[in-house]
Amino acid sequence: MLCSAALKTRRLPVTAAAPAWQLIRAYGSSTKEFDTVVIGAGPGGYVAAIKAAQLGQKTACIEKRETLGGTCLNVGCIPSKAMLNNSHLYHEAKHNYTKRGIDVGEVKLNLDQLLADKDKAVTGLTRGIEMLFKKNKVEWLKGTGTLKSANEIEVSLNDGGVESIRAKNIIIATGSEPSPFPGFEIDEKQIITSTGALSLEKVPEKMIVIGGGVIGLELGSVWSRLGAEVTVVEYLPAIGAGMDAELAKAFQRSLSKQGIKFKTSTKVVDSEKIGGKVLVNVESAKGGKKETLEADVVLLSVGRRPYTEGLGLENVGIKPDAKGRVELADHQFRTSVPNIRVIGDVTMGPMLAHKAEEEGIAAVEYITNGHGHVNYNVIPSVIYTHPEVAWVGKNEQQLKEEGIKYKIGSFPFAANSRAKTIDDAEGLVKVITDAETDRILGAHIIGPNAGEMIAEACLAMEYGGSAEDVARTCHAHPTMAEAFKEACMAAYSKAIHF
């Protein structure tokens, strides 16, 4: 039903110039009406919905999961980070506590409790979003939303029935799903995606990870620490797609020392299940040598694809591109239908939760006041392994291809006092600057707390800061952040402690 305020709306004269939306509101309807409706409650969607409500819009968010937060909070970023943290603690206790003067006796893995702790983190955060929806008066429609027209959405409710709603503005934020791989039938038991990797009932003796990107390396690290023999198969000659080449080499060396095996420049052909095992046939990416690998579990982590199933794009004339992405018509996140916008994984750009959040806020601000902001040159990436790897901006390869002259300043954690005191000094900070202006063009970190440290680089780059600007900013001692300062000093002059 329409709210009482809507029923009291002054009747508008029926003229050819009167917008259809106003006519509908004037003469009443049993259909719920909203200023903005967001389809999808992942990081981009729920943030957009909350922001819209905060800016005074009557807002609804459609989500078919029984919990909010999308892939990221339910079966992605959040549960994987819980498992990365606890598996690291287990590995430290098992292998490194004694040398730190801590005798704990026999260390045993309680996998059920480890998974329960992961679930606790997920439940707490998803319920937190639900509380934020209530606090900001965002209406959560539990079901699947299908576009019927530019202003009408049909919601197939989870508890049965169908509800039609209308919206002045619609934001598509339906996210992505794991990409399938030919020759592999996913059962989430032996052949798994990232979802299955978060809930294995036992530690496999052998695990093959297909894809040496962020997801594969993080989850491969988890199960390696817990006792699995992990082999990563990557088609490209290096792991960590998008990572600076120098850091990629250092990263692979570090993970190799931890026991993870790598087969780079290797093409996966197909698989078959025999006697409770999975046999994976591979060959050289350049052709030639063939090999069969055996594993108890195979993790497919070959990327993700936009999720638009049941969205009804065809009903409003929106055509996805060849990769299934909903294309943008302008910088304000409009699609080919002006009042329908799109953000996050389902459109262009890196598939990152924080990128989707920034787009969600900007899209709502464009709707509200015509102004929004997302700087795509300053979108950080992080791999939460140990050591962590983080980067933002340009890497050396990109600058060479673009013909931009640059300088490099680097500083090893081995020369950082805080890293030495905690006996975690592997890695380095690498800062790349414009050779003429000293403006920071990129920052690349491998080492402890890299995911936190990269924020300083982002802030400096957002405001066009130079290496000297950072170097002349006082940093607390002793901190990991001093390594970033020293790398900036090295970029425009010389580091002090190396």
Side-chain angles (χ1 to χ4, degrees):
M1 297 295 291
L2 286 170
C3 63
S4 58
L7 293 173
K8 294 177 181 177
T9 301
R10 177 175 60 85
R11 292 182 180 272
L12 298 173
V14 181
T15 65
W21 178 265
Q22 292 180 334
L23 295 178
I24 292 169
R25 290 186 64 86
Y27 290 107
S29 169
S30 60
T31 302
K32 285 184 179 179
E33 300 175 6
F34 297 92
D35 296 314
T36 294
V37 171
V38 182
I39 304 177
Y46 85 73
V47 167
I50 291 172
K51 188 64 177 180
Q54 290 175 342
L55 293 177
Q57 299 178 33
K58 183 180 179 184
T59 307
C61 185
I62 302 170
E63 173 56 55
K64 67 179 181 180
R65 290 182 188 271
E66 292 300 322
T67 51
L68 298 169
T71 294
C72 179
L73 268 74
N74 287 278
V75 290
C77 321
I78 298 305
S80 63
K81 302 311 166 284
M83 293 183 71
L84 279 160
N85 180 69
N86 288 346
S87 62
H88 175 64
L89 292 176
Y90 170 74
H91 188 270
E92 283 289 294
K94 195 172 182 67
H95 299 283
N96 296 324
Y97 273 13
T98 301
K99 72 176 183 179
R100 295 179 183 274
I102 305 171
D103 293 326
V104 295
E106 185 181 4
V107 178
K108 295 182 179 180
L109 172 66
N110 184 335
L111 183 58
D112 289 341
Q113 182 56 42
L114 188 145
L115 296 177
D117 191 64
K118 173 258 299 182
D119 293 339
K120 177 184 175 184
V122 170
T123 300
L125 288 169
T126 55
R127 287 179 178 173
I129 299 172
E130 194 168 349
M131 290 176 61
L132 289 172
F133 268 22
K134 292 176 180 178
K135 175 184 176 182
N136 291 281
K137 297 181 174 58
V138 175
E139 184 170 343
W140 175 14
L141 299 174
K142 298 182 181 181
T144 301
T146 302
L147 298 168
K148 289 300 180 180
S149 71
N151 297 107
E152 184 180 3
I153 304 170
E154 183 179 272
V155 184
S156 299
L157 301 171
N158 289 351
D159 58 1
V162 175
E163 181 175 1
S164 292
I165 61 174
R166 294 187 63 83
K168 293 180 183 177
N169 302 284
I170 297 170
I171 298 177
I172 298 171
T174 47
S176 62
E177 62 180 352
S179 297
F181 196 85
F184 290 80
E185 186 176 340
I186 297 169
D187 57 17
E188 298 297 10
K189 296 293 184 181
Q190 282 188 288
I191 299 178
I192 63 176
T193 65
S194 55
T195 300
L198 297 169
S199 56
L200 291 177
E201 296 177 354
K202 64 178 182 178
V203 179
E205 290 184 20
K206 291 184 178 181
M207 171 183 278
I208 293 174
V209 177
I210 299 178
V214 176
I215 296 172
L217 295 175
E218 287 187 348
L219 292 173
S221 289
V222 167
W223 293 104
S224 173
R225 296 168 187 168
L226 298 180
E229 180 184 310
V230 175
T231 300
V232 177
V233 181
E234 170 57 49
Y235 183 80
L236 297 174
I239 63 172
M243 191 184 299
D244 184 86
E246 180 183 358
L247 266 69
K249 291 178 182 177
F251 188 34
Q252 184 170 332
R253 285 197 301 269
S254 178
L255 294 180
S256 295
K257 287 190 294 183
Q258 296 173 30
I260 297 178
K261 300 176 182 178
F262 291 92
K263 286 186 172 294
T264 55
S265 298
T266 301
K267 177 183 177 181
V268 175
V269 180
D270 56 22
S271 70
E272 59 180 329
K273 296 179 182 178
I274 298 178
K277 303 289 185 179
V278 182
L279 302 182
V280 179
N281 298 310
V282 303
E283 63 184 24
S284 170
K286 297 179 181 179
K289 183 181 178 181
K290 296 183 179 181
E291 186 180 0
T292 297
L293 308 176
E294 181 183 282
D296 302 286
V297 173
V298 174
L299 168 59
L300 297 177
S301 55
V302 292
R304 299 180 65 83
R305 64 181 182 182
Y307 182 79
T308 58
E309 182 180 348
L311 187 54
L313 295 175
E314 65 282 359
N315 297 334
V316 292
I318 297 175
K319 295 182 179 180
D321 68 9
K323 294 183 178 180
R325 299 173 300 190
V326 179
E327 294 188 278
L328 295 169
D330 62 21
H331 69 283
Q332 297 190 19
F333 307 101
R334 292 190 182 102
T335 65
S336 56
V337 181
N339 70 301
I340 300 179
R341 300 175 194 247
V342 60
I343 63 170
D345 288 7
V346 75
T347 188
M348 286 67 177
M351 290 184 172
L352 297 168
H354 43 281
K355 174 257 195 186
E357 291 180 5
E358 295 300 309
E359 290 181 336
I361 290 175
V364 169
E365 289 177 335
Y366 277 122
I367 290 171
T368 306
N369 55 40
H371 302 283
H373 169 79
V374 179
N375 185 350
Y376 289 99
N377 292 318
V378 189
I379 303 291
S381 295
V382 182
I383 302 181
Y384 296 87
T385 49
H386 192 87
E388 290 185 352
V389 186
W391 66 94
V392 64
K394 302 288 186 178
N395 59 40
E396 278 198 76
Q397 303 94 294
Q398 292 169 328
L399 292 173
K400 287 177 181 177
E401 291 171 1
E402 295 173 15
I404 297 174
K405 295 181 180 180
Y406 61 89
K407 291 182 179 180
I408 293 175
S410 63
F411 190 83
F413 280 106
N416 175 265
S417 56
R418 182 66 189 279
K420 295 293 284 186
T421 60
I422 64 172
D423 193 22
D424 194 359
E426 183 180 12
L428 58 90
V429 178
K430 179 178 180 179
V431 174
I432 307 177
T433 63
D434 186 285
E436 295 182 2
T437 66
D438 191 41
R439 183 168 61 91
I440 298 174
L441 302 177
H444 308 268
I445 307 172
I446 178 171
N449 291 348
E452 303 293 335
M453 289 178 61
I454 202 67
E456 182 176 8
C458 293
L459 183 61
M461 291 175 63
E462 183 65 38
Y463 286 92
S466 67
E468 186 174 357
D469 289 334
V470 174
R472 292 189 179 279
T473 301
C474 184
H475 289 59
H477 174 78
T479 57
M480 304 291 187
E482 287 178 291
F484 185 72
K485 174 182 177 176
E486 293 258 17
C488 287
M489 293 178 74
Y492 87 94
S493 180
K494 291 184 178 180
I496 297 295
H497 294 95
F498 183 70

